């Protein structure tokens, strides 16, 4: 589950205190390969952080620029109140097949790209549920990455709400 926020650090601290979750692992100024927004090549300057709360992963996203993006689609002026729900993520065997299934149901692809060898899409399902769906591949790399987030949460010392991800 993911929220768009106006400050990663402030949102991580707020959720860490109120929900007793952490640490949020920060990844700053992510560089994507072949990024597209609504079918047009578009680079967006954004950072994110993740933590685990039981079986639910929490993601916070901060966009640093004003470029058109999947985040600005829902919140053109930034998230109201500094934090707003944005998307759920699903892990599927085939990202493109699942995206085509959503498209056939009338939900357009809002964003797509690649991070390393991991292809992803965001499908605009806001008309159906008020949020988007991020489609991710069922690959060992995804499971290792999400496993590292879970391990950090299991070993959390409750002293620092966030830290840079190495």
């Amino acid at each position: 589950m993911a929220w768009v926020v106006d400050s990663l650090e402030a949102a991580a601290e707020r959720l860490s205190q109120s929900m007793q979750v952490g640490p949020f692992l920060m990844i700053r100024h992510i560089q994507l390969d072949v990024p597209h927004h609504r079918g047009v090549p578009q680079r967006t300057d954004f950072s994110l952080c993740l933590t685990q709360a039981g079986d639910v992963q929490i993601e916070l996203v901060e966009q640093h620029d004003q470029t058109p993006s999947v985040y600005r689609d829902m919140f053109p002026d930034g998230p109201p109140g500094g934090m707003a729900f944005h998307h759920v993520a699903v892990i599927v065997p085939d990202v493109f097949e699942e995206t085509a299934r959503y498209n056939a149901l009338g939900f357009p692809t809002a964003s797509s790209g690649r991070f390393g060898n991991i292809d992803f899409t965001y499908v605009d399902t806001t008309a159906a549920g008020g949020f988007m769906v991020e489609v991710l591949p069922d690959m060992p790399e995804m499971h290792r990455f999400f496993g590292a987030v879970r391990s950090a949460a299991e070993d959390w010392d409750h002293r620092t709400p966030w830290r840079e991800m190495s």
Side-chain angles (χ1 to χ4, degrees), residues 57-138:
Q57 191 168 88
I58 297 171
E59 177 180 15
L60 307 176
V61 181
E62 178 183 352
Q63 183 169 334
H64 306 292
D65 61 14
Q66 295 299 318
T67 61
S69 73
V70 69
Y71 312 115
R72 295 284 182 224
D73 282 353
M74 288 180 64
F75 309 111
D77 300 318
M83 182 173 186
F85 188 70
H86 185 263
H87 70 268
V88 297
V90 295
I91 296 176
V92 299
D94 186 311
V95 167
F96 302 110
E97 184 177 296
E98 184 68 1
T99 301
R101 185 186 73 76
Y102 277 106
N103 295 161
L105 293 171
F107 301 113
T109 302
S111 181
S112 63
R114 184 175 301 128
F115 186 73
N117 68 334
I118 297 171
D119 290 303
F120 68 90
T121 62
Y122 282 88
V123 178
D124 188 346
T125 57
T126 55
F131 57 87
M132 295 204 187
V133 174
E134 181 182 22
V135 183
L136 299 169
D138 188 0

Side-chain angles (χ1 to χ4, degrees), residues 8 25-36 42-50 59-65 67 69-71 87 111-118 120 122 134 136 145-146 164-165:
L8 286 181
L25 303 180
M26 301 275 182
I27 308 170
R28 299 193 190 265
H29 303 283
I30 295 170
Q31 295 294 311
L32 301 175
D33 296 320
V34 295
H36 284 79
Q42 179 66 60
R43 291 216 176 270
T44 300
D45 184 12
F46 73 102
S47 299
L48 61 82
C49 63
L50 301 132
E59 177 180 15
L60 307 176
V61 181
E62 178 183 352
Q63 183 169 334
H64 306 292
D65 61 14
T67 61
S69 73
V70 69
Y71 312 115
H87 70 268
S111 181
S112 63
R114 184 175 301 128
F115 186 73
N117 68 334
I118 297 171
F120 68 90
Y122 282 88
E134 181 182 22
L136 299 169
F145 176 73
F146 291 143
E164 303 296 324
M165 187 167 196

Side-chain angles (χ1 to χ4, degrees), residues 21-25 50-52 149 152-153 155-157 160-163:
V21 295
F24 282 87
L25 303 180
L50 301 132
T51 195
Q52 195 76 25
V149 173
D155 297 334
W156 185 42
D157 62 12
T160 55
W162 60 270
R163 68 175 187 233

